[in-house]
Amino acid sequence: MKAFQYATAHSVSTARELIGDDGAFLAGGNDLLNRMKEYLDEPKTLVNVKSLPGLNKIETGAQSWTIGALVTVSELEDHAELKKVFTGLQQAAAEVGSRQIRNVATVGGNLAQHSRCWYYRHRDTLCLKKGGDLCFARNGENKYHSLFTGNTCISPVVSNLSIALAALDATVIVDRDGKEMRLSIPELYAKAWENPTAHNSLSPGDLILKVEIPVQNRRSAYQQISEKEAFDWALVSCSSAAKVDGKKLSQVKIALGAISPMPHQVKAANDFLEGKTLDDAAANHAADLILAKAQVFEHNGYKLPIARALVRRTLTRLVEDK
Ligand SMILES: Cc1cc2nc3c(=O)[nH]c(=O)nc-3n(C[C@H](O)[C@H](O)[C@H](O)COP(=O)(O)OP(=O)(O)OC[C@H]3O[C@@H](n4cnc5c(N)ncnc54)[C@H](O)[C@@H]3O)c2cc1C
């Protein structure tokens, strides 16, 4: 690891000043410190943001909840009321890595974490994401890669929280140059869709402050399939949210993870399910709409049946759970 300076910010404006042109915000450090150890990132200054006041709270409200960027993933997992109101988010949090990782990982860091593509993570490989000319995964080892992309890089978004938050219509509040900017989850990842070197739409110095989730009285669910039972990344993940009346669905939102550089959502599928009584045929047709434009590479075709199953299972959970 290259030598760096370390500073703790006690206000957002100080954090902005300290980071300068070549610093990085440090939250739990799960992702950033590993990138530094691999020489993927060499920030001159690490700005510890864990002491920023007011960003470590979960605030409940009748219209919306706010979750501070410094709330840990295990705090989401353990929050009894959140489990009832935003079940899918609690389930997504509970699937992140291991309990040790969840104790340290923050909401902001989880949303802003970088690609896990093994070419990107290999220190000696100058892939497209690192400014090289080629996405090596396209014609190489693409087992864990995307089925959808708007550019030539095929590394997918891997943040569990982003998938659940997309289904819940959450807004991410970001400090940019002293102004608060509100981004939907699709907006937070839109740049990664277009630009092979981007992991999200944040610019250097942008600081995630909190996440706002509207209370819509919808049920939600999250499921993922991984190679290992626990302590593993999702091969594919899915979160669904909807109002449920018997088995009839409305205001449906479905988002899939690990198959696109942004949470994968297809409006036509949500629209199709509006007012429908959920049965296998409806769930399968929604999955067909979601996956219609998938581009399969040599080793990742297995993701398609998993994605179909997860759409069906998360929707079924909505109508089964009481
Ligand atoms: C073995 C292992 C398994 C894992 N499995 C999963 C998994 O299954 N699902 C999953 O979702 N994640 C998984 N993770 C990733 C882990 O959840 C993230 O690394 C973690 O959430 C990052 O949070 P952090 O607070 O540690 O961030 P840091 O490492 O401190 O920061 C991560 C990035 O976000 C930036 N950042 C941090 N906070 C902010 C902020 N407030 N505003 C703007 N930028 C910010 C940092 O500069 C850095 O670029 C796993 C990690 C490991 C090591």
Side-chain angles (χ1 to χ4, degrees), residues 41-58:
D41 287 70
E42 297 176 344
K44 290 232 169 81
T45 311
L46 276 193
V47 181
N48 169 25
V49 294
K50 292 278 290 189
S51 301
L52 291 177
L55 301 188
N56 60 352
K57 292 186 208 144
I58 299 177

Side-chain angles (χ1 to χ4, degrees), residues 115-242:
S115 162
R116 298 301 308 181
C117 171
W118 40 28
Y119 295 105
Y120 170 74
R121 293 269 165 177
H122 194 287
R123 73 173 78 164
D124 299 326
T125 305
L126 183 61
C127 74
L128 192 60
K129 207 150 202 67
K130 287 190 283 195
D133 296 328
L134 271 182
C135 172
F136 296 107
R138 280 194 167 249
N139 296 308
E141 296 297 335
N142 45 46
K143 176 178 175 185
Y144 299 118
H145 291 74
S146 295
L147 300 170
F148 302 87
T149 180
N151 68 78
T152 33
C153 166
I154 58 167
S155 74
V157 62
V158 291
S159 155
N160 285 18
L161 301 187
S162 71
I163 307 308
L165 290 170
L168 291 169
D169 294 323
T171 300
V172 180
I173 297 160
V174 175
D175 174 89
R176 175 175 288 176
D177 299 328
K179 294 199 182 97
E180 283 194 10
M181 193 169 68
R182 295 173 65 85
L183 299 176
S184 65
I185 294 289
E187 286 167 343
L188 182 65
Y189 295 97
K191 200 165 161 197
W193 174 263
E194 298 159 0
N195 178 344
T197 62
H199 302 268
N200 49 57
S201 309
L202 298 177
S203 298
D206 283 357
L207 182 69
I208 299 174
L209 302 174
K210 53 198 170 187
V211 176
E212 197 175 280
I213 315 175
V215 175
Q216 298 168 318
N217 301 316
R218 294 186 299 159
R219 293 186 185 167
S220 58
Y222 171 94
Q223 284 199 0
Q224 67 179 53
I225 299 283
S226 308
E227 284 176 313
K228 289 185 283 175
E229 187 73 24
F231 196 3
D232 201 5
W233 305 86
L235 296 169
V236 183
S237 62
C238 179
S239 189
S240 296

